[in-house]
Amino acid sequence: MASCVTGTEAAIRATACRDGDAASHLKVVAVFAIFLTSVFGVWGPVLLAKYFHGKPLYDKAILVIKCFAAGVILSTSLVHVLPEAFESLADCQVSSRHPWKDFPFAGLVTMIGAITALLVDLTASEHMGHGGGGGGGGGMEYMAVGGLEMKEGKFGADLEIQENSEEEIVKMKQRLVSQVLEIGIIFHSVIIGVTLGMSQNKCTIRPLIAALSFHQIFEGLGLGGCIAQAGFKAGTVVYMCLMFAVTTPLGIVLGMVIFAATGYDDQNPNALIMEGLLGSFSSGILIYMALVDLIALDFFHNKMLTTAGESGSRLKKLCFVALVLGSASMSLLALWA
């Protein structure tokens, strides 16, 4: 449990760093810097996928990018979001009051976030299953139909229908993953932005601008990799990328408005509670999406990685290296942000 710092030296240092005018100028710089780096990060994988589209290495390149993205998302949830949520709710201003000192709410809300993501996943999968082939099999009954009509020369046509149906279901699943993932990231981005916008500590804001800029690049790479594989229409891609890019800057502006209207800064108990609860919830979503819908789905169910042979083995090793690099890169940023 965190303890309140009451030392004279710490109080003097905090007073010297508290400068509303300087903090406001730094926040304006942060809005533009974070917006530009977010655009760069999220559009990188999308443009890379467009460049490789139609080329022999397209599917493999997208898969490697997605594995790197999975590492980034996993690290974001476990190394950045979850510890910050626990820290907010463990602050002495919060943990000394009921009911926050009686129960580990950060862990509970993280679990609720993961179960909510599972519920969305199950509901959407059931909907796709019923819609995929006019029955509960999700389009899988085409094989039986083809077998019955093989004598009439229709097996090839039925098999092609089945394959197209399966591909469409996979695409729908990938789109769902990207959308739920963006919801979790948006929660996290709003928290980052509002916290920075409410802060009046110029000593804290200045190093955070550089750190959060790199943070948004890697987080953008993670989301952009999933968007690139999902095969959205151009308008949807632009919308999703724009939503990611503007969320943190808008959060900063919102934080500045909240401070101007209420006088709450980022150390206010109510602000800390909201930050802790939203952070825990988004962490639960991101942990589930990273482990279940990204890592497990690709490493255990993707045909390119489950195919026996030297080629499949090399690709699996490359994807694992990409996963480790993604998680390591994002984890390293925890030293600064």
Side-chain angles (χ1 to χ4, degrees), residues 18 21 25 34 57 80 82 114 120 146 184 204 231 233 248 279 313 337:
R18 191 176 179 85
D21 292 335
H25 291 132
I34 291 174
L57 292 176
H80 291 262
L82 189 58
V120 172
T204 301
K233 293 181 180 178
T248 302
S313 177

Side-chain angles (χ1 to χ4, degrees), residues 109-123 180 281 284-285 288-289:
V109 178
T110 299
M111 182 181 68
I112 292 173
I115 293 175
T116 301
L118 172 62
L119 179 62
V120 172
D121 221 352
L122 289 174
T123 304
V180 177
F281 188 76
I285 293 175
Y288 174 86
M289 301 304 293

Side-chain angles (χ1 to χ4, degrees), residues 199-282:
S199 176
Q200 300 302 303
N201 191 322
K202 65 179 182 181
C203 302
T204 301
I205 296 173
R206 190 178 290 112
L208 271 180
I209 294 175
L212 289 178
S213 296
F214 282 104
H215 178 279
Q216 291 300 101
I217 288 176
F218 284 111
E219 203 166 71
L221 288 172
L223 179 61
C226 296
I227 293 174
Q229 193 185 38
F232 289 107
K233 293 181 180 178
T236 306
V237 171
V238 172
Y239 172 76
M240 293 183 71
C241 291
L242 186 62
M243 280 294 293
F244 169 77
V246 303
T247 303
T248 302
L250 287 179
I252 295 173
V253 174
L254 178 60
M256 295 171 71
V257 171
I258 291 173
F259 176 78
T262 65
Y264 287 178
D265 63 9
D266 57 332
Q267 294 302 310
N268 182 273
N270 293 328
L272 290 169
I273 290 171
M274 187 60 65
E275 180 182 341
L277 293 179
L278 286 177
S280 299
F281 188 76
S282 64

Side-chain angles (χ1 to χ4, degrees), residues 136-170:
M140 296 305 289
E141 69 274 13
Y142 285 115
M143 181 64 80
V145 175
L148 290 172
E149 298 181 346
M150 195 191 313
K151 293 181 180 178
E152 301 178 24
K154 295 182 180 180
F155 178 78
D158 289 329
L159 185 59
E160 183 178 351
I161 292 172
Q162 179 201 355
E163 290 175 350
N164 291 337
S165 177
E166 289 179 357
E167 289 176 4
E168 184 60 29
I169 290 174
V170 170

Side-chain angles (χ1 to χ4, degrees), residues 50-94:
K50 186 176 181 181
Y51 172 77
F52 277 106
H53 189 70
K55 298 185 178 181
L57 292 176
Y58 175 74
D59 290 335
K60 293 181 179 179
I62 288 294
L63 184 59
V64 172
I65 290 172
K66 190 181 175 186
C67 289
F68 181 88
V72 170
I73 300 302
L74 184 63
S75 176
T76 297
S77 59
L78 291 174
V79 182
H80 291 262
V81 187
L82 189 58
E84 290 172 4
F86 272 96
E87 184 179 348
S88 296
L89 295 180
D91 188 278
C92 63
Q93 299 181 77
V94 177

